[in-house]
Amino acid sequence: MAECLSPGKSEAQERGAKMSVVLVVHGGAWAIPDELAKASVDGVKTAAREGFSVLKRGGSALDAVEVAVRSMEDNTVFNAGHGGTLNTDGEVELDAFIMDGQTLASGAVSSVKNIANPVSLARAVMEKTSHMMLTSRGANLFAESIGTAMIPTETLVTEYERKEWKKHKDYMTGVMEDFSTRWAHDTVGAVALDSAGNVACATSTGGIRNKMVGRVGDSPIIGCGGYADNFSGAVSCTGHGESILKVTLARLILSKMEQGKSVTEALQMSLQHMGDRVQGAGGAIVVSPSGHWAATFTTERMAWAAVEHDVLWYGLEPLERLKEHWLQ
Ligand code: GLY
């Protein structure tokens, strides 16, 4: 029982038990078009395998979520890092967040440009500064100061994104509807539980296509795009950022788990609330301190994958849950 634990110790540490490890990833909740469906599913499966390898070797949840998210940032099918969406100026501005459930330390970057892996920069903010978020020019100055490679915007932009951006120049024509059409293109994330019983989350995004310059969504905001606490679990969210911000979705999900709801109930109730209260669509992944996990969404599709007990689970369509044996 979480309320009986000593501060700073997880349930597993308290019991002296070795936890079974779990890694869950998502590649964004939106109306993924058929032409991106296979690549999206392949991409989350690869990311889940890479992140789970870290846990298998006895690595930390924090390292595992960073590795999984970097894998999706490097994959141009996803809206994060390479493949990020363009803002009204035709620039890529990236947001990312990472959080350690053992200490509640977190780091975030927002509106950062010209870097490939904002999740690693967010981790550097967490580990190398006394702050929790750096934005825009400040984030870029910090990136340069720690030797992060700067790359031209064009390197991050795909031909697919340039074409879609040209077709959809006006952000104000209804971004809410966009999450049920092909115009939105959203976010990647990962949550993990390691063998020491620690949880972590990471989330990374290019935001919304044709967003205003400087617009920041939910992804880098603590309690909204993600949250991790060894005493309740870890969450990474995806979907319409302004809606997620209004209901502080990640914390909402965890608060329902703290009240005794299962991971699936907590996810479904919270997404339903976001739909009813602010008409927002999205999705989330969650892992509890005891290793229960779920992946749910209210958009048309969300590519997700999870690995536990050497089985890889994955899906794209609502209620789809496919299975493969873990291959190293
Ligand atoms: N969910 C990502 C964003 O709205 O920026």
Side-chain angles (χ1 to χ4, degrees):
M1 300 266 292
E3 56 268 38
C4 300
L5 303 179
S6 317
K9 279 195 178 172
S10 70
E11 204 177 338
Q13 287 165 329
E14 192 75 15
R15 291 199 310 265
K18 196 167 157 56
M19 299 294 300
S20 66
V21 298
V22 181
L23 189 288
V24 192
V25 303
H26 70 76
W30 60 294
I32 300 166
D34 290 341
E35 70 260 32
L36 299 185
K38 185 179 180 312
S40 299
V41 172
D42 289 348
V44 290
K45 283 161 75 174
T46 299
R49 285 198 176 97
E50 290 178 11
F52 191 75
S53 297
V54 174
L55 299 176
K56 269 286 251 197
R57 293 193 300 267
S60 71
L62 200 61
D63 285 344
V65 295
E66 183 185 359
V67 162
V69 165
R70 281 182 68 103
S71 168
M72 292 183 282
E73 287 176 339
D74 292 341
N75 185 333
T76 56
V77 77
F78 300 117
N79 174 15
H82 290 94
T85 50
L86 296 168
N87 66 15
T88 49
D89 270 4
E91 289 281 341
V92 178
E93 289 185 323
L94 302 165
D95 303 333
F97 175 73
I98 191 163
M99 185 161 183
D100 178 353
Q102 185 180 19
T103 60
L104 303 190
S106 71
V109 289
S110 59
S111 298
V112 68
K113 290 184 186 173
N114 305 108
I115 66 164
N117 296 111
V119 71
S120 295
L121 188 60
R123 183 162 179 180
V125 170
M126 178 175 91
E127 292 177 343
K128 297 182 198 291
T129 80
S130 54
H131 305 306
M132 283 169 67
M133 181 191 280
L134 292 175
T135 193
S136 190
R137 178 172 162 267
N140 275 102
L141 288 173
F142 174 62
E144 278 177 54
S145 78
I146 60 168
T148 305
M150 294 295 143
I151 54 175
T153 297
E154 278 316 308
T155 313
L156 295 172
V157 183
T158 60
E159 208 180 301
Y160 174 87
E161 174 57 23
R162 186 67 71 191
K163 236 171 53 207
E164 294 295 299
W165 176 76
K166 284 205 179 110
K167 281 197 250 167
H168 184 252
K169 281 285 276 179
D170 188 4
Y171 169 74
M172 300 312 288
T173 57
V175 74
M176 301 282 281
E177 295 80 47
D178 284 355
F179 278 82
S180 50
T181 71
R182 55 173 293 148
W183 295 116
H185 190 182
D186 202 56
T187 313
V188 303
V191 296
L193 170 69
D194 65 28
S195 57
N198 296 313
V199 297
C201 73
T203 306
S204 181
T205 191
I208 290 174
R209 183 173 295 129
N210 267 319
K211 64 187 179 182
M212 290 174 69
V213 174
R215 178 266 188 193
V216 176
D218 61 293
S219 301
I221 308 296
I222 187 167
C224 296
Y227 200 82
D229 182 347
N230 277 8
F231 290 94
S232 39
V235 175
S236 171
C237 298
T238 163
H240 182 236
E242 283 70 6
S243 301
I244 294 171
L245 284 160
K246 284 176 188 167
V247 301
T248 57
L249 186 61
R251 267 305 308 162
L252 181 65
I253 292 164
L254 290 175
S255 72
K256 293 197 185 302
M257 287 162 57
E258 288 157 5
Q259 289 156 17
K261 301 292 177 205
S262 72
V263 285
T264 307
E265 284 168 341
L267 266 191
Q268 285 172 345
M269 288 170 74
S270 303
L271 289 170
Q272 171 90 40
H273 172 74
M274 186 166 83
D276 294 344
R277 189 71 179 87
V278 297
Q279 292 74 56
I285 50 174
V286 59
V287 67
S288 78
S290 53
H292 293 103
W293 60 271
T296 306
F297 50 99
T298 52
T299 51
E300 250 176 59
R301 285 172 162 173
M302 179 177 87
W304 64 269
V307 193
E308 61 164 356
H309 304 307
D310 285 348
V311 175
L312 174 73
W313 299 91
Y314 62 98
L316 178 74
E317 311 286 351
L319 303 179
E320 186 175 49
R321 203 173 148 105
L322 306 167
K323 163 178 168 179
E324 259 171 34
H325 280 285
W326 162 260
L327 298 172
Q328 263 182 313

